[in-house]
Amino acid sequence: MEQDQSAAVGSADSGAAAFDFATGNPPGSAVTGGSAVAPDGGAQAADASAYQAEHTALNGTAGDMANYQTGAAENGEAVTNEMGEPVPEPSYEEAVLSAEEARLWSVVTANSLDFNAWTTLIEETEKNAENNILKIRKVYDSFLAEFPLCFGYWKKYADHEARLDGVSKVIEVYERAVLAVTYSVDIWYNYCQFAISTYDDPDIIRRLFERGLAYVGTDYRSNILWDEYIKYEESLEAWSHLAVIYTRVLEHPIQQLDRYFNCLKELASKHSFPEILTAEEASVYVVTSEASAQAPDGEAHPDDVDKPGQPEISSSTDAENLAKYVSMREVMYKKAKEYESKIIGFELAIRRPYFHVKPLDNPELENWHNYLDFIEKEEDINEVIKLYERCVIACANYSEFWIRYVQCMEDKGSLDLANNALARATHVFVKKQPEIHLFSARFKELNGDISGARAEYQHLYSDLCPGFLEAIVKHSNMEHRLGERELSCTVYEKAIAAEKGKEQSQLLPTLLIQYSRFLFLAVRDLEKAREILNVLHEQLNVTKPVLEAVIHLESIFPCEKRIEFLDSLVEKFVTPESSQGEVASLVDKEEMSSIFLEFLDLFGDAKSIKKALTRHTTLFSCKRSILPSKKRKADDAVVSDRDKFAKTGAAQSATGTDPNASNPPVWPATSEASGQQWGASYAQQAAYPAYGTYDYSHQMSQPAPQAAAYGAYPPTYSAQAYTQQSYAQPAAIPAAPVPAVVPAATPASAYPQQPAAAPQPYYGTTYY
């Protein structure tokens, strides 16, 4: 009996969700657009190109969106002239901007991720636009291209369209919104409210509710959407529909389950049992009427052959059936409450479930990781996907969560879903963070998309971060792995040629070192590897790490060591008269000279050692008094501790301790290791820091411009401001004499700080 009920509910879910609310398409032609999960809850791959036809153009200029319902045609028809020819809609260029608007547009064009500038521009446009829908469309389309998860601005955009245009445009905005923020409870809530206020047909409104609930109905905070659905059914006095909604709510661990269960019991007590049953449910509880096809005595009644018995529920069993009805739902309720107890800690720790450009604090980031760890153990992949979709709303600016999402889907065998999440990350949400593109390149190589991997690397070091060394090195290494020896060398040579064209390139010396190392270790071309290093003679800004790497390379080359070559480089670095460009510190110069002396002690002759040692003594011995002595600092610290201890002992004697008592001071324990602080030049060199484990992080600070997020939106904007985000805890603040007053929490803004989940249709084409 319960199985039949569940089947009926599940069927309603999938059928309603698969129906395209905006177009009226049957389930067979439903388009999931930007969703990572099929509307019926199945793990269906989203078609990245499915949305191209209607929504790749700017809002208001897109083609024919099918009518929302019969009777809305007047709002969807194209405007025609006297000859019956369609009149093209005005373009954005026809909108006249004020001086302040023009200034703000220049600001957001220079930095497309300046959120405050965008919001100021929107306010200025709304103040000056009045009835100019073109200006409003331009600013909202451009803003939402960069910040598609701000559901509050989708709502404001739809309100402007409702005020200045018509229903069809409002629908178009909302349809774009639910494709962009599919897993946002709030956007579905706003969409359903609009439908209730606009249409009279309950079937249309119910279909929209079902679409939204198919995506967000299991969200812990989805109670506002369920409540709106319940409120609507109560207004229609559709008690059977209302009972089904309560039943479905009790299947999920959402907020306020106790209230929903009590409301269901109250509904059952206020209305007769048949009133709260759907036709399918009634068939479960039906009792054969007296007018049956078979008489009680077993004889057939000829008059009843054409009169099948009408199913009805016997009043004598009403109380019984009602108790059974409520009892089954109580079992569902208790099961949901049991699961809620497992996740309530994670849910309550989510302080900001919506998107905002401000960084999240470390505890909340850690909570998301812990919650994902928990949910990944579940067998139902749909629950895993939906939590990840919620996560990448609040954590949209963190590439670590996108990378984790992709890897999880790959591990679960859902490569299409992995590609879906990766496309959204690299094209929209963290598109200007180098680490996501490095991951994307590795992921594509692993899965056989070599051309895609090459495109990612080239985009990194050509467009996003010009001359990005890590991308150059990894691209070359990939080509070498693939057996493309010439291509692997070409990657370096093109980058070197580009850097040679720059005046005093900071990257060129390091790039030459990496190429030389690659040629020697991977290509096994010793002669070319040594030849590449000769270019360093022409460089004016050879740094300590580069020079260390050159010495290291010479030490491992299986051939005669070029002592004079290295000596000239070291002399250029340590001699004040020869130093040009950025001058190294005296400490660095001395350490570099010491490293070279160690090299000569292994590979040089007496003459070269004497020359280098004389230079070292001349330059640094006479200046040793001004150099910081780490050993002296350590000894001073010990003496200081002893003095403090002596003073403390004296103070104790003065305050009444026995002066004759034996109380020898206990000196702080010291070790030879702590007292003997060797200089960096004598410590283990860790294979010379410029080498092998080269630090590329300094190159990530100046990303290059990249194309706008969606193909539908204006051409390009300049570099993002949020290339890298630090999750490090802030430094501890010393305790103040007066306790600081903790300000009251500021409530989330209704519009600027709203969440949204991720779509797809905007990512149909590659951005390279």
Side-chain angles (χ1 to χ4, degrees):
M1 188 177 301
E2 182 60 38
Q3 292 177 352
D4 294 340
Q5 170 68 17
S6 299
V9 172
S11 176
D13 273 346
S14 60
F19 188 88
D20 190 331
F21 179 73
T23 64
N25 291 331
S29 60
V31 176
T32 60
S35 312
V37 183
D40 60 358
Q44 174 178 324
D47 182 1
S49 63
Y51 195 57
Q52 292 177 2
E54 292 97 342
H55 297 288
T56 51
L58 287 167
N59 178 42
T61 64
D64 302 327
M65 173 172 281
N67 294 331
Y68 188 84
Q69 66 164 3
T70 305
E74 66 272 14
N75 292 309
E77 293 175 354
V79 179
T80 59
N81 57 21
E82 297 82 357
M83 305 297 294
E85 299 171 341
V87 177
E89 295 193 26
S91 64
Y92 289 160
E93 285 70 19
E94 298 180 29
V96 179
L97 303 177
S98 67
E100 180 61 13
E101 286 177 296
R103 185 190 70 80
L104 290 169
W105 270 111
S106 66
V107 172
V108 298
T109 301
N111 180 10
S112 63
L113 289 187
D114 188 339
F115 188 83
N116 292 331
W118 275 114
T119 55
T120 304
L121 175 59
I122 290 173
E123 292 173 3
E124 185 69 19
T125 302
E126 289 174 334
K127 182 174 68 176
N128 297 328
E130 296 180 353
N131 296 329
N132 190 337
I133 190 62
L134 287 180
K135 291 173 69 173
I136 291 174
R137 285 173 181 166
K138 178 181 180 180
V139 71
Y140 274 102
D141 285 334
S142 302
F143 169 76
L144 291 168
E146 294 296 337
F147 301 98
L149 299 182
C150 294
F151 80 85
Y153 284 91
W154 285 109
K155 172 67 166 57
K156 292 178 70 176
Y157 191 1
D159 291 344
H160 283 301
E161 291 287 3
R163 178 174 61 88
L164 298 175
D165 201 322
V167 171
S168 65
K169 292 298 184 184
V170 178
I171 297 167
E172 186 175 338
V173 171
Y174 272 121
E175 282 299 317
R176 291 171 56 200
V178 297
L179 283 166
V181 287
T182 310
Y183 289 87
S184 167
V185 175
D186 300 272
I187 197 63
W188 287 107
Y189 172 78
N190 291 330
Y191 198 177
C192 290
Q193 282 192 320
F194 162 76
I196 291 171
S197 65
T198 306
Y199 298 101
D200 298 325
D201 187 348
D203 289 337
I204 292 175
I205 295 170
R206 284 170 179 156
R207 282 198 295 268
L208 182 58
F209 272 114
E210 295 296 339
R211 276 183 68 199
L213 290 170
Y215 289 107
V216 301
T218 60
D219 190 318
Y220 185 74
R221 292 173 170 81
S222 62
N223 54 296
I224 62 170
L225 186 59
W226 286 107
D227 286 345
E228 190 68 14
Y229 200 1
I230 289 169
K231 180 181 175 182
Y232 176 70
E233 294 294 354
E234 285 178 340
S235 69
L236 299 178
E237 298 185 355
W239 310 124
S240 62
H241 283 95
L242 188 57
V244 170
I245 293 173
Y246 280 128
T247 300
R248 292 168 59 193
V249 170
L250 296 177
E251 292 180 313
H252 308 299
I254 68 172
Q255 283 182 331
Q256 303 177 10
L257 269 179
D258 298 339
R259 175 173 65 86
Y260 290 116
F261 182 57
N262 292 331
C263 288
L264 175 64
K265 292 192 291 185
E266 183 180 353
L267 177 69
S269 65
K270 286 185 177 180
H271 301 278
S272 64
F273 189 49
E275 278 187 292
I276 64 173
L277 297 179
T278 63
E280 293 81 3
E281 290 171 329
S283 65
V284 177
Y285 296 96
V286 73
V287 177
T288 307
S289 64
E290 293 182 2
S292 62
Q294 183 78 24
D297 57 0
E299 297 179 1
H301 290 252
D303 296 340
D304 294 338
V305 173
D306 297 325
K307 298 179 181 180
Q310 299 296 322
E312 62 181 34
I313 299 176
S314 170
S315 58
S316 62
T317 60
D318 246 15
E320 247 178 67
N321 288 332
L322 180 59
K324 186 175 183 180
Y325 179 90
V326 173
S327 176
M328 287 189 297
R329 279 141 188 82
E330 186 174 7
V331 171
M332 298 161 55
Y333 157 72
K334 289 180 177 179
K335 185 177 179 181
K337 286 290 289 184
E338 181 182 358
Y339 190 80
E340 182 191 18
S341 67
K342 298 178 182 178
I343 65 172
I344 187 67
F346 300 122
E347 292 289 351
L348 294 180
I350 300 174
R351 303 297 183 185
R352 198 178 80 188
Y354 51 84
F355 168 80
H356 198 276
V357 294
K358 293 181 180 178
L360 289 164
D361 56 26
N362 277 3
E364 191 154 358
L365 292 171
E366 184 179 356
N367 178 67
W368 275 115
H369 278 299
N370 293 337
Y371 200 175
L372 292 170
D373 289 340
F374 169 80
I375 206 69
E376 283 176 1
K377 298 174 185 176
E378 296 291 316
E379 295 181 0
D380 188 356
I381 189 175
N382 301 315
E383 295 304 315
V384 177
I385 293 169
K386 288 181 179 181
L387 183 63
Y388 265 108
E389 290 293 337
R390 287 178 59 196
C391 174
V392 295
I393 293 174
C395 308
N397 284 338
Y398 294 86
S399 57
E400 64 186 88
F401 289 100
W402 289 103
I403 291 172
R404 177 171 179 164
Y405 190 4
V406 173
Q407 290 176 328
C408 178
M409 293 300 100
E410 182 186 26
D411 292 343
K412 292 184 178 295
S414 299
L415 190 58
D416 289 335
L417 295 179
N419 285 323
N420 175 283
L422 187 59
R424 285 183 279 157
T426 55
H427 289 252
V428 183
F429 298 107
V430 285
K431 62 185 178 182
K432 296 189 178 177
Q433 295 184 17
E435 55 267 29
I436 192 65
H437 293 282
L438 289 172
F439 170 79
S440 178
R442 292 192 298 270
F443 180 83
K444 290 179 178 181
E445 179 192 356
L446 179 64
N447 290 282
D449 184 6
I450 304 303
S451 61
R454 286 174 177 147
E456 288 283 12
Y457 284 130
Q458 290 168 1
H459 170 67
L460 260 175
Y461 60 72
S462 298
D463 302 323
L464 185 58
C465 300
F468 185 30
L469 182 60
E470 185 174 5
I472 295 169
V473 172
K474 290 184 180 297
H475 185 189
S476 179
N477 291 345
M478 182 190 75
E479 299 295 355
H480 181 262
R481 285 194 300 273
L482 297 172
E484 300 288 348
R485 176 173 172 174
E486 292 184 3
L487 281 178
S488 64
C489 293
T490 301
V491 171
Y492 274 112
E493 289 165 1
K494 286 184 176 179
I496 290 172
E499 292 301 317
K500 283 183 177 180
K502 301 177 182 178
E503 185 176 353
Q504 295 187 355
S505 169
Q506 300 293 320
L507 176 63
L508 183 56
T510 307
L511 193 56
L512 291 168
I513 293 294
Q514 290 289 344
Y515 188 26
S516 177
R517 177 175 179 268
F518 173 78
L519 289 170
F520 172 63
L521 296 177
V523 182
R524 303 294 181 183
D525 189 341
L526 176 60
E527 292 303 318
K528 191 172 182 180
R530 301 185 77 191
E531 180 184 340
I532 290 296
L533 294 182
N534 292 333
V535 183
L536 290 172
H537 268 300
E538 306 167 7
Q539 297 301 306
L540 301 178
N541 57 342
V542 175
T543 61
K544 179 174 175 282
V546 168
L547 199 47
E548 286 184 73
V550 174
I551 294 174
H552 175 68
L553 279 176
E554 284 292 334
S555 69
I556 64 174
F557 283 163
C559 58
E560 185 180 352
K561 310 306 176 186
R562 295 184 293 180
I563 304 296
E564 292 184 4
F565 168 69
L566 293 179
D567 187 80
S568 64
L569 292 178
V570 172
E571 184 168 5
K572 181 190 294 187
F573 181 79
V574 302
T575 306
E577 293 77 11
S578 301
S579 298
Q580 300 184 44
E582 184 178 351
V583 179
S585 69
L586 192 60
V587 174
D588 284 347
K589 290 180 178 182
E590 183 181 11
E591 288 179 357
M592 196 66 253
S593 180
S594 298
I595 291 172
F596 183 52
L597 283 171
E598 290 179 6
F599 173 84
L600 291 176
D601 202 37
L602 282 173
F603 304 108
D605 53 24
K607 184 178 179 181
S608 61
I609 293 174
K610 178 183 178 182
K611 177 183 177 183
L613 188 57
T614 301
R615 180 177 59 217
H616 183 88
T617 304
T618 303
L619 290 175
F620 306 115
S621 293
C622 62
K623 301 176 183 178
R624 184 166 301 280
S625 60
I626 66 173
L627 294 176
S629 172
K630 296 180 181 178
K631 182 176 185 302
R632 181 174 299 170
K633 285 184 177 180
D635 293 341
D636 289 346
V638 173
V639 173
S640 176
D641 288 340
R642 291 177 180 174
D643 291 342
K644 291 178 183 178
F645 191 91
K647 290 179 182 179
T648 304
Q652 289 176 346
S653 298
T655 55
T657 56
D658 183 0
N660 299 317
S662 176
N663 188 18
V666 180
W667 303 112
T670 61
S671 65
E672 185 176 351
S674 63
Q676 185 69 25
Q677 298 291 336
W678 297 107
S681 57
Y682 300 101
Q684 185 178 3
Q685 291 300 322
Y688 297 96
Y691 235 57
T693 57
Y694 184 77
D695 179 13
Y696 306 102
S697 61
H698 66 282
Q699 291 196 322
M700 296 186 183
S701 60
Q702 297 179 350
Q706 183 177 339
Y710 305 128
Y713 293 96
T716 58
Y717 297 104
S718 59
Q720 280 190 341
Y722 306 100
T723 303
Q724 291 184 313
Q725 300 179 20
S726 173
Y727 310 142
Q729 290 280 14
I733 301 175
V738 180
V741 179
V742 180
T746 304
S749 175
Y751 288 125
Q753 306 179 6
Q754 303 307 4
Q760 238 112 320
Y762 298 100
Y763 328 121
T765 57
T766 182
Y767 62 106
Y768 300 107

